[in-house]
């Protein structure tokens, strides 16, 4: 990194949206479908609105199911939905006349929270979808179609000392300006009165927040919204070409930033102690690098984010690290502790008599000059979204500073939103997380039968999984299947031959960078071979020892520093997939069986070494997992059938079934069940153990 880097020439620009309305498509749609079409078009265009952000409405005539008469119904986005991906059932539907009648219950801002409670009483047609908190903004405006969005270019105006003047300059009075007021019924009343007092205006900027605008048809409303955003973006872009963003560059980007992030993230994660472990997300996107490398970073980062949508995800302010001290664990610990102290002090300063208890005081956003942005949250999707929201906040600051000074939200206002009782109620309603949410697992041989079944089991319990395998194509198939089943955020894959030291190191670094660290290692990648001793070539011997002894050693050694750091957070777990043959001698498979025995003894040694660091090490010994295993597809099947003097086809499965004490098949899912238990806190008091999952085999009984 170079502290004397030259000042960069021009700032990054805002994306300028254009209408994507398709008349032919729209012609076939009914009124509510047109609202959905418009909403999806707006929400799926990230230049228009951020994830989940914004809400849309239409006042439509519907047939009352009770009277059969026609009634005005407000269709408005439901609470918590995302307009980009919502379906028709994501809208709340409410009797417009009842909504207007609610004003009888309102006597001032102190009634804001109470007013929310009346909304369900206005429900039309038993629609269970809860209405957005912004419903009064839509219902109290006398327009058929209303959009309320928070695109970066708009919030940049809304959060700048120069925003009101810019709004006048851009739209020449067609768009009004309303001072900051937190969302709720009072804002709806203020907006309605403002619009009534300014006839002819086509929209209103809501300071610190976003814009609301309207039109007579769905298409006109959509195009109006897109045009307003394009106007704002073009205006800001003209200003931004004139000077570098954020006072210019103070430091240049580190070439090895991905490696720095991989090294840093597990150490930060280990320091973020609290009731639950966190998942990390790293980004070095262009807007983040422009910001974290800038002269103005310390000043602007300290001001905090402005739009409520942003800071609910990001906390008000990020933690900024010193790029010269990233290797210094004591410095990191001090900075995180100081952040927590600042957060508690903010809570103490701002809390009200009925405020909910203080929430997790750890930072969500960590900015690293030269490297990028790291976000931590209770699950991977939330961590990624927090990062994306902070990128939005950066865009806002860049635009706002181009036309004046960026204005962050007043601290008490921010607190009142963060600790809003309604927000707390929403949190309380959330279902308890699955047991392994917050855990990160790496599974070697993840493309194979037992590896994939174990990964699926861990994913099903909520863990994030890094799949590794030397067979990249087969692994990609498994990964994409899991991404479809469990979501893209929670599964990653990296090709890695466990016998190759550099590849193993790289796989763990990738896991650290993708998820933030490691809690669980499932060492499973394996092969099998069968040959009498005189026919066991040195090459065959070495291949078994390479994969099963050296491979397990290399993966465990690479996992160690990541696992060791999590002692304070309850410890970590290593699971070796061993073999019945590790404890029961096998004729004609000495290379395989003795290499497996070496791996199992390695597990016992590591259980001793790991205990002081909270690392548990246990083994699952499978036997005869024929279905789903690729080992049994090849020579091993033929060779074992030969050894037992049976047909390698159906007879083989029957042979192994009958050989077991319980006379049952052993499936990859059975091994996965044991591995998952050993990986979980349910086995927190067990280390140095072996569990046989072999349908019973007296030779393998442990003693
Ligand atoms: P599998 O062949 O279906 O899966 C093993 C996976 O490991 C494959 O995807 C393979 O590509 C991968 N692999 C092999 N060598 C590798 C290397 N050097 N680097 C990275 N990846 C490598 O077999 P499975 O039955 O799922 O076996 C998984 C584990 O269970 C192995 O350790 C095996 O010895 C053990 N085991 C299996 C059985 C059984 O009956 N299937 C019995 C006892 C033990």
């Amino acid at each position: 990194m170079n502290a004397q880097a030259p000042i960069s020439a021009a700032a990054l620009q805002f994306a300028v949206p254009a209408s994507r309305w398709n008349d032919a498509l729209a012609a076939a749609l009914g009124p509510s479908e047109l609202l959905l079409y418009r909403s999806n078009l707006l929400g799926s265009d990230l230049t228009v609105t951020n994830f989940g952000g914004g809400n849309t409405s239409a006042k439509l005539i519907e047939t009352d199911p009770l009277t059969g008469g026609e009634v005005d119904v407000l269709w408005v986005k439901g609470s918590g939905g995302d307009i980009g991906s919502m379906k028709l059932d994501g809208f709340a539907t409410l009797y417009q006349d009842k909504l207007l009648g609610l004003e009888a219950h309102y006597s001032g801002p102190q009634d804001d929270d109470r007013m929310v409670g009346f909304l369900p009483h206005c429900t039309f047609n038993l629609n269970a979808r809860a209405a957005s908190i912004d419903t009064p903004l839509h219902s109290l405006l006398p327009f058929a179609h209303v959009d309320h969005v928070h695109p970066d270019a708009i919030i940049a105006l809304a959060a700048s000392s120069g925003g009101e003047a810019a709004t006048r300059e851009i739209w020449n009075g067609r768009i009004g300006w309303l001072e900051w007021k937190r969302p709720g019924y009072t804002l709806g009343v203020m907006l309605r009165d403002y619009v009534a007092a300014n006839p002819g205006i086509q929209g209103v900027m809501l300071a610190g927040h976003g814009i609301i605008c309207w039109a007579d048809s769905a298409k006109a409303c959509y195009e109006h919204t897109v045009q307003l955003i394009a106007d704002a973006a073009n205006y800001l872009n003209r200003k931004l070409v004139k000077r570098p963003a954020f006072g210019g560059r103070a430091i240049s980007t580190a070439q090895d930033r991905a490696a720095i992030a991989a090294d840093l993230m597990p150490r930060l994660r280990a320091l973020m102690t609290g009731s639950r472990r966190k998942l990390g997300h790293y980004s070095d996107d262009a807007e983040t690098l422009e910001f974290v490398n800038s002269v103005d970073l310390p000043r602007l980062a300290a001001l905090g984010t402005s739009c409520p949508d942003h800071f609910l995800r990001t906390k008000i302010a990020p933690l900024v690290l010193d790029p010269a001290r990233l290797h210094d664990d004591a410095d990191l610990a001090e900075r995180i502790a100081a952040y927590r102290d600042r957060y508690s002090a903010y809570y103490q300063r701002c809390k009200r008599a009925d405020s909910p208890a203080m929430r997790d005081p750890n930072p969500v956003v960590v900015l690293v000059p030269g490297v990028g942005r790291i976000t931590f949250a209770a699950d991977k999707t939330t961590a990624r979204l927090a990062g994306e929201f902070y990128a939005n906040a950066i865009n806002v600051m860049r635009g706002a500073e181009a036309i004046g000074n960026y204005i962050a939200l007043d601290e008490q206002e921010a607190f009142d939103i963060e600790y809003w009782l309604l927000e707390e109620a929403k949190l309380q309603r959330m279902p308890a997380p699955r047991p392994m949410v917050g855990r990160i697992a790496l599974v070697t041989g993840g493309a194979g039968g037992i590896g994939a079944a174990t990964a699926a089991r861990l994913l099903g319990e909520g863990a994030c999984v890094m799949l590794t395998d030397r067979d990249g194509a087969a692994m990609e198939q498994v990964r994409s299947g899991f991404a479809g089943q469990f979501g893209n955020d929670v599964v990653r894959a990296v090709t890695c031959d466990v016998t190759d030291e550099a590849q193993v190191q790289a796989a763990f670094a990738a896991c650290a960078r993708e998820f933030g660290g490691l809690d669980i290692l499932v060492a499973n990648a394996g092969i099998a071979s069968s040959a009498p001793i005189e026919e066991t070539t040195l090459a065959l011997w070495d291949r078994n020892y390479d994969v099963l002894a050296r491979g397990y050693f290399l993966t465990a050694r690479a996992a160690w520093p990541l696992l060791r750091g999590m002692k304070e957070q309850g410890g970590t777990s290593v699971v070796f997939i061993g073999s019945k043959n590790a404890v029961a001698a096998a004729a004609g498979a000495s290379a395989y069986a003795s290499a497996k025995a070496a791996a199992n003894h390695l597990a016992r040694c590591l259980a001793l070494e790991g205990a002081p660091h909270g690392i548990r090490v246990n083994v699952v010994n499978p036997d005869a997992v024929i279905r789903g295993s690729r080992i049994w597809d090849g020579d091993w099947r033929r060779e074992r059938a030969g050894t037992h003097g049976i047909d390698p086809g159906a007879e083989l499965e029957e042979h192994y079934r009958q050989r077991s004490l319980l006379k049952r098949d052993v499936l990859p899912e059975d091994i996965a069940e044991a591995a998952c238990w050993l990986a979980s806190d349910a086995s927190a008091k067990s280390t140095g153990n072996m569990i046989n999952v072999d349908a019973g085999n007296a030779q393998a009984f442990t003693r």
Side-chain angles (χ1 to χ4, degrees), residues 445-451 469-471 496-499 524-527 547-548 552 577-580 592 596 622-626 628-632:
I450 293 171
D469 203 290
R470 70 169 173 197
D471 183 343
C496 163
D497 184 327
V498 292
T499 66
N524 158 80
I527 53 166
V547 180
L548 301 173
Y552 277 50
I577 305 300
S579 171
K580 177 211 81 178
Y592 170 74
K596 276 290 185 188
D623 184 38
V625 183
I626 298 171
S629 165
R630 298 200 294 160
I631 284 179
W632 287 92

Side-chain angles (χ1 to χ4, degrees), residues 480-496:
S480 69
F482 287 162
Q485 192 180 349
F486 301 103
N488 226 353
D489 281 324
V490 294
V491 57
R492 296 281 186 279
V494 58
T495 306
C496 163

Side-chain angles (χ1 to χ4, degrees), residues 32 68 135 138 220 283 389 401 458 496 540 542 573 632 638:
S32 55
T135 298
H138 293 266
S283 176
F389 274 94
E401 289 273 306
L458 293 168
C496 163
L540 185 66
D542 285 345
S573 174
W632 287 92
R638 208 173 12 80

